[in-house]
């Protein structure tokens, strides 16, 4: 849009002179003519009077709010050289107003877009070429124009009292009519009335709108402070206090209105107001205990800056930082999301609590916030100390990381073929067909002292099928799934055949041991009261398949070796993902062993999801997440009528709600405890399991050294490892806290006594500097 010759901005500098002028593309000649004529018109008026009458630009009072006013901008729309326009220009100069001149609709529109003038005076006389209604229509469509005052200059007298011309101007958006009068004094007096009337009203409305828009969109809570920076209250925008009956700030020290491009700051001190919504908001009171009403602290020294700079939502001008404004708006939307993560709510609550706390507490809360903003909330961090136990660090490194270290280029390829056991003994069709010596051993299967190794020897390394038949029959698995007992037997045989009998630890005997522990836990009254039949069935199946096709090497080893499985599962929960996936592959592709064939699709989906979740829960990198979530939930007082009491009296002083979320945590904790329950077994069983897991780690270390892979757990060197030290570290770091929480829930005194006895056994071995499983015969 081009600039007409009459486009000019005049800035008044003193009495009797229009001051400095700037003209658009047309040069200065036309303006000099306007200036000389303006001086001659003003000459008859006493300039000293005008100086004394200069408009004061002090503070505006909006009830209890004080607003530092900005310089008033005026847009004059008159034909070039019009005496009425010259008179208003001169009056603006002496009033200290910033004046822009335009002689056409186009230039007036352009100037208004650039500056959003406070006052627009338009020539609306019949003999003028300006079309006032059209101009007003254009201007009112511009955002922010609702705060501008439009004045029409009309002829001196209307022909009739009900002249329709006046109504048309009012309908177009004009708020005042000025009968033509080219006297500078008359124009000056009109400007004064407009300034102290309509213009100031609009300034107040704009400032209030900017303040409340800023409060609505600010991404931080706004503190309400006294002039001494003493916090009175907090504006609860982030916490839902938006109803009419809620309190509003008592005194906000804020600079909310910044006109883009001009850097005009308005300082607002907003004193507390009262809103009525059937009742008046409570007044602040000092209380002896220092606690504010309704849970808000209201008297303490502020540790933050006393004011916030917030850009007005109706800031005027077109230059300066539109990209920054967009980013600020985006951040405001993020912080006002209706879908808010629980951790975000926690951080917001702590932020508020921090402001009402002593300095020492606030500093501690800073540390809390720092921890909460990390991603590893449940993973403990071992301090880097020179005296750190290498057994602990190696166990953590080997079990809780994916072991992404420098690779040697060697690949450890897991066999894709199933490891079937050659069956030399006929399998039982049902429990009635089990040999008597095996049946005698299974009679003790409901006891925690059950000897799984005795069953292993009696079944020639196939304890999973026999124990599985016993446990699945006890819990009615075949009946629940609607399958034949022969199908269940075939499935157990199929799963056991895919465990590696050559592994020292991760073989079908370990699977049978975990199945036994799972069944034992499911039989406990508290557990039974929290879980549904589907939960029990999924737990038994998950325990059976949780380590199927385990290669006898850790996830870290597979990731370092770049194995096919590590590539397939992106180095994340590699083995656990493989166990769950293979279990369903084996089951579904063999119709004779498909125990899920008869259940409905929706039930199968729910059962499958539960099994997968429990198998993945055995992955050690999320060990502390599962344990801490479980511990945090069982420590909550019961609030559900359907909650399960953990006390014999049933008073629910410590209860567990029977919610899907809690059942999920219980199942995860159950299989985790079953999976690594070896330290809680009777001492002979505990020692045997310790020897087997150590042997598997020894073999891995030897293979890593042989193939040039990074050694994940260097302390597990067959020639130097102290097995007692490794067991002590394992119990201290992984077992004690987990079983303390599980015992608090399931009440397992026998296990906890075994754990204490076994720990003392390993401590005694270590104090004697013994590195073996058992003391020498001569000791």
């Amino acid at each position: 849009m081009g600039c007409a010759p009459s486009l000019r901005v005049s800035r008044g500098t003193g009495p009797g002179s229009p001051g400095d002028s700037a003209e658009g593309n047309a040069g200065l000649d036309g303006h000099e003519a306007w200036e000389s004529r303006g001086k001659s018109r003003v000459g008859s008026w006493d300039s000293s009077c005008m100086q004394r009458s200069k408009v004061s630009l002090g503070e505006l009072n909006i009830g209890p709010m004080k607003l530092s006013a900005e310089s008033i901008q005026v847009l004059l729309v008159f034909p070039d050289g019009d005496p009425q326009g010259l008179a208003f220009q001169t009056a603006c100069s002496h009033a200290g107003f910033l004046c822009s001149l335009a002689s056409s609709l186009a230039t007036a529109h352009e100037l208004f877009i650039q500056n959003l003038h406070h006052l627009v005076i338009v020539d609306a006389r019949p003999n003028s070429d300006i079309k006032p209604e059209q101009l007003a229509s254009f201007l009112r469509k511009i955002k922010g124009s609702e705060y501008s005052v439009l004045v029409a200059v009309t002829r001196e007298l209307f022909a009739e009292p009900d002249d329709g011309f006046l109504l048309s101007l009012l309908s177009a958006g004009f708020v005042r009519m000025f009968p033509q009068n080219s006297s500078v004094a008359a124009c000056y007096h009109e400007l004064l009335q407009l300034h102290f009337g309509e213009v100031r009203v609009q300034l107040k409305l704009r400032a209030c709108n900017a303040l409340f828009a800023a409060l609505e969109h600010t991404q931080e809570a706004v503190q309400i402070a006294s002039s001494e920076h003493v916090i009175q209250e907090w504006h609860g925008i982030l916490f839902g206090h938006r109803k009419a009956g809620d309190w509003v700030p008592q005194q906000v020290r804020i600079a909310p209105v910044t006109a883009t491009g001009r850097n005009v700051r308005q300082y607002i001190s907003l004193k507390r107001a009262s809103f009525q919504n059937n009742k008046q908001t409570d007044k602040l009171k000092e209380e002896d205990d220092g606690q504010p009403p309704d849970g808000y602290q209201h008297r303490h020294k502020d540790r933050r800056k006393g004011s916030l700079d917030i850009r007005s939502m109706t800031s005027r001008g077109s230059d300066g930082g539109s990209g920054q404004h967009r980013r600020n708006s985006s951040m405001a939307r993020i912080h006002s999301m209706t879908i808010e993560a629980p951790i975000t709510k926690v951080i917001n609550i702590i932020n508020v609590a921090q402001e009402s706390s002593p300095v020492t507490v606030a500093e501690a809360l800073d540390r809390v916030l720092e921890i909460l903003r990390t991603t590893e909330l449940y993973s403990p961090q071992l301090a880097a100390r020179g005296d750190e136990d290498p057994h602990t660090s190696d166990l953590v490194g080997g079990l809780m990381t994916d072991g992404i270290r420098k690779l040697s280029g060697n690949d450890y390829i897991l066999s894709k073929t199933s490891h079937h056991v050659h069956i030399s003994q006929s399998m039982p069709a049902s429990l009635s067909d089990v040999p008597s010596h095996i049946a005698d051993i299974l009679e003790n299967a409901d006891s925690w002292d059950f000897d799984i190794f005795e069953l292993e020897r009696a079944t020639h390394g196939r304890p999973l099928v026999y124990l599985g038949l016993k446990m699945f029959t006890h819990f009615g698995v075949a009946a629940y799934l609607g399958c034949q007992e022969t199908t269940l037997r075939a499935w157990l045989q199929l799963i056991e055949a895919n465990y590696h009998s050559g592994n020292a630890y991760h073989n079908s005997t370990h699977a049978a041991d975990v199945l036994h522990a799972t069944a034992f836990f499911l039989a406990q009254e508290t557990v039974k009261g929290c879980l549904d039949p589907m939960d029990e069935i999924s737990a038994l199946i998950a325990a059976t398949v949780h380590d199927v096709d385990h290669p006898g090497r850790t996830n870290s080893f597979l990731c370092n070796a770049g194995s096919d499985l590590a590539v397939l599962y992106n180095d994340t929960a590699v083995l656990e993902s493989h166990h769950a996936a293979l279990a369903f592959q084996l089951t579904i592709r063999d119709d004779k062993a498909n125990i899920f064939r008869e259940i409905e699709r929706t039930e199968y989906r729910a059962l499958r999801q539960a099994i997968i979740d429990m198998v993945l829960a055995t992955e050690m990198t999320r060990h502390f997440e599962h344990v801490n979530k479980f511990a945090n939930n069982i420590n909550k007082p019961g609030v559900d009528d359907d909650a399960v009491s953990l006390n014999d009296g049933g008073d629910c002083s410590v209860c567990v709600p029977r919610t899907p979320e809690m059942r999920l945590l219980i199942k995860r904790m159950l299989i985790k405890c079953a999976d690594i329950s070896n330290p809680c077994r009777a001492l002979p069983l505990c020692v045997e399991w310790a020897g087997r897991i150590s042997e598997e780690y020894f073999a891995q270390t030897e293979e890593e050294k042989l193939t040039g892979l990074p050694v994940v757990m260097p302390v597990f060197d067959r020639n130097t490892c102290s097995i007692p030290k490794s067991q002590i570290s394992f119990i201290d770091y992984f077992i004690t806290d987990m079983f303390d929480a599980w015992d608090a829930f399931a009440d397992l005194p026998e296990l906890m006594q075994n754990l204490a006895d076994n720990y003392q056994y390993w401590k005694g071995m270590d104090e004697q500097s013994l590195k073996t499983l058992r003391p020498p015969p001569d000791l």
Side-chain angles (χ1 to χ4, degrees):
M1 184 181 297
C3 296
S6 61
L7 176 62
R8 49 180 68 85
V9 177
S10 176
R11 191 179 296 268
T13 58
S17 172
D20 297 333
S21 302
E23 189 169 3
N25 299 330
L28 299 177
D29 293 340
H31 174 65
E32 291 172 353
W34 274 55
E35 185 178 271
S36 61
R37 279 178 284 181
K39 287 182 179 179
S40 65
R41 297 294 299 266
V42 177
S44 60
W45 194 16
D46 186 357
S47 61
S48 62
C49 178
M50 293 182 66
Q51 179 65 32
R52 291 192 303 269
S53 302
K54 183 179 282 291
V55 176
S56 172
L57 298 178
E59 288 185 338
L60 295 178
N61 294 321
I62 314 174
M65 184 166 63
K66 296 181 180 180
L67 174 67
S68 297
E70 56 185 277
S71 297
I72 302 301
Q73 291 206 46
V74 181
L75 174 61
L76 302 177
V77 186
F78 289 89
D80 192 13
D82 184 81
Q84 185 68 68
L86 285 171
F88 271 115
Q89 178 197 13
T90 305
C92 287
S93 173
H94 289 282
F97 296 166
L98 304 179
C99 181
S100 301
L101 304 175
S103 59
S104 66
L105 295 180
T107 54
H109 188 264
E110 181 179 0
L111 281 172
F112 188 79
I113 291 176
Q114 292 175 1
N115 299 286
L116 281 175
H117 302 81
H118 301 90
L119 180 61
V120 180
I121 303 177
V122 181
D123 186 2
R125 293 168 294 184
N127 57 349
S128 173
D129 294 333
I130 306 296
K131 298 179 180 179
E133 294 94 339
Q134 184 178 359
L135 176 61
S137 177
F138 287 160
L139 299 187
R140 289 306 187 194
K141 293 178 181 179
I142 299 173
K143 185 177 181 180
S145 65
E146 62 270 23
Y147 303 111
S148 298
V149 178
L150 271 61
V151 178
V153 176
T154 64
R155 61 183 181 273
E156 292 183 5
L157 296 174
F158 291 104
E160 299 178 5
D162 57 348
D163 194 341
F165 178 66
L166 176 61
L167 293 177
S168 67
L169 291 176
L170 293 173
S171 300
F174 288 94
V175 299
R176 187 178 176 89
M177 310 302 150
F178 177 75
Q180 65 179 9
N181 188 336
S182 56
S183 167
V184 174
C187 294
Y188 181 80
H189 293 155
E190 179 68 15
L191 290 177
L192 289 183
Q193 294 180 66
L194 288 168
H195 176 264
F196 286 98
E198 290 293 334
V199 172
R200 285 204 170 194
V201 168
Q202 294 302 324
L203 281 173
K204 294 174 183 180
L205 289 175
R206 182 165 61 90
C208 290
N209 182 65
L211 174 63
F212 292 123
L215 289 175
E216 179 68 20
H217 292 82
T218 183
Q219 55 186 296
E220 296 185 11
V222 178
Q223 63 186 25
I224 299 109
S226 67
S227 58
E228 291 79 19
H229 300 284
V230 176
I231 299 295
Q232 307 295 310
E233 283 194 41
W234 276 88
H235 188 282
I237 290 175
L238 296 180
F239 310 100
H241 299 286
R242 297 185 182 183
K243 301 190 298 293
D246 291 338
W247 57 268
V248 296
Q250 177 178 1
Q251 187 176 9
V252 179
R253 308 196 67 176
I254 194 168
V257 183
T258 301
T260 306
R262 295 200 305 254
N263 296 322
V264 178
R265 299 293 178 94
Q266 296 183 344
Y267 179 85
I268 293 180
S269 178
L270 179 62
K271 298 187 179 296
R272 183 179 182 177
S274 295
F275 281 141
Q276 294 291 337
N277 183 19
N278 299 325
K279 63 178 182 179
Q280 193 174 28
T281 53
D282 294 333
K283 294 183 178 180
L284 293 176
K285 298 185 298 181
E286 287 281 4
E287 297 188 5
D288 294 337
D289 58 0
Q291 296 299 319
D294 299 327
Y296 290 97
Q297 184 73 22
H298 61 275
R299 281 284 186 264
H300 68 88
K301 290 295 182 180
D302 179 25
R303 291 180 299 277
R304 299 175 181 237
K305 62 181 181 179
S307 63
L308 302 173
D309 290 336
I310 305 176
R311 289 192 177 274
S312 169
M313 300 300 294
T314 57
S315 60
R316 299 179 296 147
S318 60
D319 57 328
S322 60
Q324 183 63 37
H325 176 72
R326 175 185 54 78
R327 290 188 292 273
N328 291 340
S329 298
S330 298
M331 288 301 298
R333 287 194 299 271
I334 290 173
H335 284 268
S336 62
M337 289 189 300
T338 56
I339 303 176
E340 188 177 28
I343 189 64
T344 305
K345 297 179 181 178
V346 171
I347 290 176
N348 288 338
I349 293 171
I350 293 177
N351 277 327
V352 174
Q354 196 175 27
E355 293 298 334
S356 60
S357 304
V359 174
T360 54
V361 176
E363 291 174 351
L365 290 176
D366 277 334
R367 175 58 180 156
V368 171
L369 290 172
E370 181 182 346
I371 295 172
L372 289 177
R373 290 188 177 104
T374 66
T375 56
E376 301 298 331
L377 292 179
Y378 292 95
S379 299
Q381 299 176 345
L382 291 177
R385 304 189 307 269
D387 60 346
E388 180 183 299
D389 181 12
H391 294 79
T392 301
S393 61
D394 281 4
L395 280 170
V396 174
L399 299 178
M400 295 192 63
T401 67
D402 292 323
I404 308 302
R405 305 179 185 178
K406 180 180 179 181
L407 301 182
S408 64
N410 298 293
D411 289 335
Y412 182 86
I413 308 299
L414 198 67
S415 173
K416 297 181 181 179
T417 61
S418 298
H419 298 263
H420 292 281
V421 177
H422 296 287
I423 302 173
S424 58
Q425 177 180 337
S426 62
M427 299 302 297
S430 66
L431 279 177
S432 59
D433 296 329
V434 173
S436 60
H437 67 288
I438 297 178
D440 291 341
I441 297 173
L442 292 174
E443 285 296 323
N444 194 37
D446 59 349
S447 170
W448 183 251
D449 288 335
F450 177 72
D451 190 345
I452 192 67
F453 300 117
E454 184 181 7
L455 181 63
E456 178 190 50
R457 292 187 294 269
T459 59
H460 302 285
R462 289 176 287 112
L464 186 58
V465 171
Y466 291 93
L467 185 65
L469 282 173
K470 171 77 173 181
M471 296 305 178
F472 281 35
T473 300
H474 175 75
F475 283 92
V477 174
Y480 182 89
L481 297 176
C483 66
Q484 298 295 321
E485 193 169 335
T486 54
T487 303
L488 184 60
R489 181 208 61 191
W491 180 79
L492 286 168
Q493 183 178 357
L494 176 64
I495 295 300
E496 184 161 38
N498 280 275
Y499 275 93
H500 297 200
S501 59
N503 291 343
Y505 182 88
H506 289 98
N507 49 41
S508 67
T509 303
H510 167 65
D513 183 65
V514 175
L515 175 59
H516 173 264
T518 298
F520 182 84
F521 294 152
L522 289 173
Q524 304 307 303
E525 289 300 324
T526 306
V527 180
K528 286 166 55 177
C530 291
L531 300 183
D532 295 333
M534 179 180 286
D535 297 325
E536 296 177 348
I537 303 303
S538 62
L540 293 169
I541 295 175
T544 304
V545 306
H546 84 281
D547 272 336
V548 66
D549 199 35
H550 196 294
R553 299 293 181 264
T554 64
N555 279 332
S556 298
F557 180 95
L558 298 181
C559 293
N560 286 334
S563 70
D564 288 348
L565 285 180
V567 173
L568 177 62
Y569 294 110
N570 301 311
D571 294 338
T572 303
V574 174
L575 286 172
E576 292 72 24
S577 299
H578 174 61
H579 302 324
L582 181 63
F584 282 96
Q585 290 173 357
L586 293 173
T587 303
I588 294 173
R589 74 186 181 193
D590 189 339
D591 196 55
K592 294 181 180 180
N594 188 358
I595 58 176
F596 305 123
R597 181 177 54 189
E598 301 300 328
I599 61 176
E600 296 181 357
R601 179 180 298 274
T602 55
E603 193 171 11
Y604 168 72
R605 294 283 298 175
L607 189 64
R608 168 178 159 81
Q609 186 58 49
I611 295 169
I612 293 173
D613 184 83
M614 293 184 72
V615 173
L616 293 180
T618 63
E619 200 251 334
M620 292 299 290
T621 61
R622 297 183 63 188
H623 171 83
F624 293 98
E625 176 182 348
H626 296 316
V627 172
N628 284 293
K629 283 182 177 179
F630 176 81
N632 291 339
N633 276 273
I634 67 168
N635 285 333
K636 289 182 178 180
V639 295
D640 190 350
D641 292 337
D642 198 27
V644 178
S645 173
L646 302 189
N647 297 328
D648 292 337
D651 61 356
C652 267
S653 60
V654 181
C655 300
V656 176
R658 295 187 78 257
T659 61
E661 295 78 11
M662 191 62 209
R663 298 205 327 265
L664 185 66
L665 294 178
I666 292 172
K667 289 186 292 181
R668 290 173 178 173
M669 191 70 165
L670 186 150
I671 197 168
K672 283 187 62 61
C673 289
D675 187 31
I676 54 177
S677 63
N678 307 149
C680 297
R681 294 286 186 180
L683 181 59
L685 305 180
C686 170
V687 172
E688 177 65 22
W689 283 121
R692 293 193 177 199
I693 191 62
S694 297
E695 177 58 36
E696 201 164 278
Y697 288 162
F698 292 157
Q700 175 173 310
T701 299
E702 290 169 353
E703 184 173 353
E704 287 167 338
K705 292 179 178 180
L706 182 64
T707 58
L709 288 173
V711 178
V712 175
M713 296 180 285
V715 296
F716 284 96
D717 185 296
R718 191 183 303 276
N719 300 316
T720 60
C721 179
S722 170
I723 295 178
K725 283 186 181 294
S726 69
Q727 287 298 302
I728 292 170
S729 297
F730 182 68
I731 292 172
D732 282 339
Y733 202 74
F734 293 102
I735 299 299
T736 301
D737 291 341
M738 181 175 72
F739 272 92
D740 280 342
W742 188 236
D743 174 57
F745 169 69
D747 188 20
L748 304 165
E750 183 180 3
L751 278 71
M752 301 309 292
Q753 185 59 53
N754 286 345
L755 178 60
D757 294 343
N758 295 338
Y759 187 79
Q760 288 303 316
Y761 172 81
W762 297 120
K763 289 287 286 186
M765 293 283 291
D766 183 53
E767 289 170 358
Q768 299 178 65
S769 300
L770 299 175
K771 298 182 177 181
T772 56
L773 287 171
R774 301 172 181 87
D778 55 340
L779 291 181

